[in-house]
Amino acid sequence: MCSVGVSDSMGHERGRHHKPDPRSFVSAWTEKDLLDGNVVDSFVVIFRTTGCYWARSGGCSMCGYVFDTSLDVSEDDLMHQLNTAGEKHQGQPITKIFNSGSFFDEHEVPPQFRKAVLKEFGGKSRKVLVETLAPFTKKELVEEALSFCDKFEVAFGLESATPAVLMYSVNKPFGLEQHVKAASIVHDCGGSVKTYLLVKPPFLTEREAVEDAVTSAEKVADCSDTISFNPVNVQRGTLVERLWRRGQFRPPWLWSVTEVLTRARRLKPRVMSDPTAAGLPRGAHNCGECDATLATAIRDFSLRLRQDFGGIDCECVQRWLDTLELEGPLQASLNMDALLDRMKW
Ligand SMILES: [Zn+2]
């Protein structure tokens, strides 16, 4: 979840083909985030669970987190993971609890473990965040969480508010309707809502991807406190990886990410992005020269340390504009970058 390549979630353990140890959590690290307008440390932990039920029955086109999971994980293993992860906490004001699936799915996160996690980190941090699929959200679960935590946020991977994009590009069966309903449950209980939207799921041109991210953000502005744009990265074992290897998918340009953030910043929620593997071939990237600058600017923008992307320039912006222009008439989401290279554009 860090901005720059080597320390991203793939660089930790996600997506590797090895037999996962059910007693060890996937990863934990500290990153910066905002709390009441101030930049503070945030403790991030990924627990190894039996995984997302949807990933086992089809799964989203870009998600390889199923490789972090283990069907052998018992409740005792989970409690062991919690004990070791809890020892790593150093009083960071925010704790983000990830489990490569849904925190509110009782088959994946058993009630006793769920309560223990909330008690542990709710007692150590001022704010706790969990991720879940919308249909698992229930009033009593949010109320329970708020009984352990000062501030509680639920993050939902809506990915897109466009039904056709969800059906054909993402392969996710839940959409805006379920999202709005789940968000209102969280808000009614006094929690806050973070909405994840993808930038460039497969089969969209670069321009279509930018437009879909912006229009999706407009549709969720009223039910979100934060909108986080996730540029699609190439995770192992996914449909996206297959397309990428065939030259039929290029992760979005970082210019596309700044364009989306610039257009969405007028909305009421905080808008942010934390591109995984930024600057690497598998992550959102530009030309190689300007990637680090852009990744830093996106991180600073997300922490409200800068208001816009003025003053950042690079020769590759023209290639990005060419891509936006050329992919449309070709009716294809190609790796224009590689094509232009070959043509010595
Ligand atoms: Zn550049």
Side-chain angles (χ1 to χ4, degrees), residues 127-138:
K127 178 176 176 178
V128 171
L129 176 144
V130 302
E131 294 179 334
T132 196
L133 283 170
F136 291 115
T137 311
K138 293 194 180 71

Side-chain angles (χ1 to χ4, degrees), residues 236-290:
R236 289 180 177 81
T238 59
L239 174 69
V240 163
E241 186 185 49
R242 196 170 163 78
L243 292 169
W244 177 68
R245 288 196 186 285
R246 291 166 59 101
Q248 291 168 339
F249 179 79
R250 183 210 190 276
W253 287 75
L254 288 165
W255 294 123
S256 295
V257 180
T258 59
E259 168 82 4
V260 168
L261 290 170
T262 301
R263 286 173 58 186
R265 74 179 164 175
R266 65 187 164 78
L267 300 172
K268 193 182 57 167
R270 171 192 173 202
V271 296
M272 59 165 293
S273 180
D274 190 4
T276 297
L280 298 179
R282 284 176 176 265
H285 62 273
N286 281 356
C287 68
E289 292 291 313
C290 61

Side-chain angles (χ1 to χ4, degrees), residues 90-345:
Q90 295 169 319
Q92 292 90 333
I94 302 175
T95 297
K96 298 176 188 170
I97 299 156
F98 299 152
N99 48 280
S100 306
S102 288
F103 188 75
F104 287 149
D105 177 357
E106 298 203 346
H107 297 290
E108 189 187 341
V109 179
Q112 286 314 314
F113 173 64
R114 183 184 70 226
K115 284 176 203 169
V117 166
L118 291 167
K119 191 172 177 208
E120 170 78 17
F121 296 113
K124 288 179 167 172
S125 285
R126 279 159 56 207
K127 178 176 176 178
V128 171
L129 176 144
V130 302
E131 294 179 334
T132 196
L133 283 170
F136 291 115
T137 311
K138 293 194 180 71
K139 183 168 173 268
E140 52 274 24
L141 294 172
V142 182
E143 282 175 348
E144 175 195 85
L146 276 159
S147 74
F148 291 111
C149 312
D150 246 12
K151 290 172 185 275
F152 182 63
E153 186 156 276
V154 186
F156 299 101
L158 173 64
E159 323 302 7
S160 168
T162 312
V165 172
L166 287 174
M167 187 182 292
Y168 299 117
S169 293
V170 185
N171 192 37
K172 197 163 203 167
F174 318 110
L176 183 62
E177 196 182 326
Q178 289 94 339
H179 180 67
V180 170
K181 200 171 150 194
S184 81
I185 293 171
V186 176
H187 281 143
D188 286 350
C189 296
S192 56
V193 171
K194 185 174 191 176
T195 304
Y196 295 127
L197 295 173
L198 295 177
V199 180
K200 208 174 174 190
F203 310 117
L204 297 186
T205 63
E206 193 82 14
R207 185 186 290 280
E208 286 170 338
V210 168
E211 295 304 324
D212 190 59
V214 174
T215 54
S216 294
E218 287 164 352
K219 287 179 186 162
V220 298
D222 284 343
C223 69
S224 309
D225 299 279
T226 299
I227 297 173
S228 181
F229 294 100
N230 288 338
V232 169
N233 58 85
V234 181
Q235 299 180 2
R236 289 180 177 81
T238 59
L239 174 69
V240 163
E241 186 185 49
R242 196 170 163 78
L243 292 169
W244 177 68
R245 288 196 186 285
R246 291 166 59 101
Q248 291 168 339
F249 179 79
R250 183 210 190 276
W253 287 75
L254 288 165
W255 294 123
S256 295
V257 180
T258 59
E259 168 82 4
V260 168
L261 290 170
T262 301
R263 286 173 58 186
R265 74 179 164 175
R266 65 187 164 78
L267 300 172
K268 193 182 57 167
R270 171 192 173 202
V271 296
M272 59 165 293
S273 180
D274 190 4
T276 297
L280 298 179
R282 284 176 176 265
H285 62 273
N286 281 356
C287 68
E289 292 291 313
C290 61
D291 295 60
T293 308
L294 261 289
T296 303
I298 290 169
R299 189 195 61 204
D300 289 351
F301 176 95
S302 299
L303 294 173
R304 295 197 168 149
L305 299 175
R306 66 183 299 151
Q307 300 305 309
D308 55 39
F309 299 97
I312 300 173
D313 204 4
C314 183
E315 284 177 1
C316 72
V317 77
Q318 192 53 50
R319 286 174 66 124
W320 171 65
L321 290 168
D322 288 343
T323 301
L324 294 180
E325 205 63 32
L326 286 168
E327 276 186 337
L330 287 172
Q331 289 289 302
S333 165
L334 299 170
N335 190 341
M336 283 303 296
D337 208 22
L339 198 63
L340 290 171
D341 244 352
R342 256 177 254 154
M343 290 165 62
K344 301 261 183 287
W345 191 263

Side-chain angles (χ1 to χ4, degrees), residues 5-52:
V6 280
S7 55
D8 64 31
S9 52
M10 292 189 299
H12 283 85
E13 272 194 48
R14 282 189 163 177
R16 288 186 190 164
H17 294 280
H18 57 81
K19 184 135 176 58
D21 174 9
R23 285 179 77 78
S24 67
F25 59 86
V26 178
S27 191
W29 67 93
T30 297
E31 63 185 22
K32 298 289 180 193
D33 206 340
L34 276 183
L35 181 62
D36 302 328
N38 300 310
V39 179
V40 299
D41 281 340
S42 167
F43 179 74
V44 186
V45 56
I46 307 175
F47 288 110
R48 192 182 314 282
T49 63
T50 52
C52 176

